[in-house]
Amino acid sequence: MRGVIMHTAGDVRVEERDDPRIVEPTDAIVRLTATCVCGSDLWPYRGVEPADHQVMGHEYVGVVEEIGSEVKTLKVGDFVVGSFVISDNTCEICRAGYQSKCVQGSFVAQTIGTQAEKARIPLADGTLVATPGQPAPELIPSLLAASDVLGTGWFAAVAAGAGPGKTVAVVGDGAVGLMGVLAARQLGAQRIIAMSRHPERQKLARFYGATDIVEERGEEGVAKIKELTNGLGAHSVIEAVGTQEATMQAIKATRPGGHLGFVGVNYDVSIPGIDLFFSGIHVQGGPAPVRRYLPDLIQLIWDRKIDPGKVFDLTLPLDQAAEGYRAMDERRATKVLLTL
């Protein structure tokens, strides 16, 4: 089969890989219908994470082609959406709703690589969720978004305490930030402030429910948020970037007693303890437990109540994956869908 391999930073190729096969009785083989490039894939692409002939990709939808003898909830022919973290969905941590930290968990990006024609998904019952039927083609992008960015944005909004009567500020206008806007809207937030300097992303943020746009960053961005909130800061802040500036901006934009949900993968971020101590805020984040939300998100998409698929603004065939990486690295694309 064909699959994306990152030989080293900046060197992405589509090459022949071995077809996956059932190894454990809890495995499923999925023939992928669509996959995509994630903002976190840019970390190894830019040399922040090591990459040495690394299989790439962790967002995926497709049709079950084969199942192991112990798979009970899926059957051959099912169309499925999978989380970017493998989980059994039965351990104590999973049952508490944190499947991304499952005791048997592993990252799809590091072990499987779903920018490919097929994938072996371990712990299939706990990782994959079947759709109500075969989806219409126009639903595929939205279902693919549920595999990571939608679920991640949703977790960020929940962690930030977004809800009725709340003002939510979203730091980051990439795919996850935009999905945080969508989630905050669905959770009933009264006001949603999207922090963005890019007109096309501002337009999409408005589509997903943003009521205000703030273009300032850093201390100026914090000052603007406070100006819009009677000097108090937002009740709920989503941090969806992972840089030092974005992290501190998010902390300082959260009002005392407010909630910060952070889901930007952060490298070399250092939070002064005294700043966090005196902020007086609630903080929760990390790898999103997408599996917790998948059944509900799939149903919202199936019922056409949300349209997260609009976050894909460039579609390319798998063979042109290298161009997809370049486009996202150069910010010519918010998120790239790869067709198979």
Side-chain angles (χ1 to χ4, degrees):
M1 70 172 185
R2 295 172 300 149
V4 173
I5 306 291
M6 187 176 293
H7 283 238
T8 189
D11 185 0
V12 172
R13 309 180 194 180
V14 177
E15 300 179 342
E16 285 296 320
R17 291 176 51 192
D18 291 338
D19 284 347
R21 59 183 182 84
I22 298 292
V23 176
E24 301 291 339
T26 51
D27 291 347
I29 304 300
V30 179
R31 177 175 289 279
L32 302 181
T33 301
T35 183
C36 55
V37 182
C38 182
S40 62
D41 292 332
L42 298 181
W43 291 117
Y45 187 77
R46 293 168 174 165
V48 178
E49 292 179 0
D52 182 4
H53 294 79
Q54 176 70 52
V55 296
M56 297 301 295
H58 54 268
E59 299 158 282
Y60 56 104
V61 295
V63 177
V64 175
E65 195 170 72
E66 185 179 357
I67 58 173
S69 60
E70 294 183 13
V71 175
K72 306 300 182 186
T73 63
L74 303 166
K75 64 183 184 299
V76 172
D78 280 347
F79 191 94
V80 292
V81 182
S83 166
F84 68 92
V85 180
I86 302 300
S87 62
D88 59 28
N89 208 34
T90 58
C91 77
E92 188 172 341
I93 302 300
C94 284
R95 286 185 282 111
Y98 292 90
Q99 292 91 334
S100 56
K101 300 299 293 182
C102 174
V103 298
Q104 297 192 75
S106 61
F107 284 96
V108 172
Q110 298 174 358
T111 58
I112 296 166
T114 55
Q115 289 169 9
E117 293 180 307
K118 295 183 182 182
R120 178 182 75 90
I121 306 300
L123 302 176
D125 281 331
T127 304
L128 302 173
V129 178
T131 58
Q134 294 300 313
E138 64 270 18
L139 292 182
I140 300 292
S142 289
L143 292 168
L144 179 60
S147 182
D148 182 353
V149 289
L150 173 59
T152 296
W154 202 278
F155 171 62
V158 171
K166 299 292 183 65
T167 293
V168 181
V170 181
V171 180
D173 63 356
V176 171
L178 291 167
M179 294 297 94
V181 171
L182 180 156
R185 179 69 172 179
Q186 290 295 311
L187 292 168
Q190 179 177 339
R191 191 178 193 183
I192 303 168
I193 305 168
M195 308 193 81
S196 172
R197 290 180 170 180
H198 303 88
E200 288 305 313
R201 297 184 185 196
Q202 292 174 2
K203 182 179 178 181
L204 198 51
R206 292 277 192 190
F207 171 80
Y208 283 132
T211 56
D212 301 84
I213 302 293
V214 168
E215 296 193 357
E216 293 85 350
R217 291 182 179 175
E219 293 295 339
E220 291 182 355
V222 172
K224 188 65 176 179
I225 294 295
K226 290 192 174 181
E227 178 186 325
L228 293 171
T229 56
N230 298 318
L232 301 177
H235 301 94
S236 307
V237 177
I238 293 170
E239 194 288 307
V241 183
T243 62
Q244 181 75 30
E245 180 183 64
T247 299
M248 296 311 300
Q249 179 176 309
I251 290 171
K252 293 177 180 180
T254 309
R255 70 173 58 194
H259 292 72
L260 168 62
F262 67 96
V263 292
V265 179
N266 45 41
Y267 284 94
D268 298 324
V269 171
S270 178
I271 302 173
I274 200 70
D275 287 356
L276 186 61
F277 179 79
F278 278 109
S279 69
I281 64 175
H282 303 79
V283 180
Q284 184 183 15
V290 168
R291 180 60 180 81
R292 185 205 305 183
Y293 305 110
L294 271 182
D296 289 340
L297 296 181
I298 288 171
Q299 195 61 53
L300 284 171
I301 292 165
W302 201 262
D303 293 340
R304 301 176 188 263
K305 293 181 178 178
I306 58 174
D307 188 8
K310 285 187 179 294
V311 79
F312 294 103
D313 54 356
L314 179 61
T315 297
L316 297 169
L318 180 68
D319 287 341
Q320 294 182 30
E323 168 56 21
Y325 275 78
R326 283 192 296 270
M328 286 185 61
D329 181 48
E330 297 167 4
R331 296 184 72 86
R332 291 184 284 111
T334 302
K335 192 163 181 65
V336 177
L337 186 147
L338 301 173
T339 58
L340 295 150

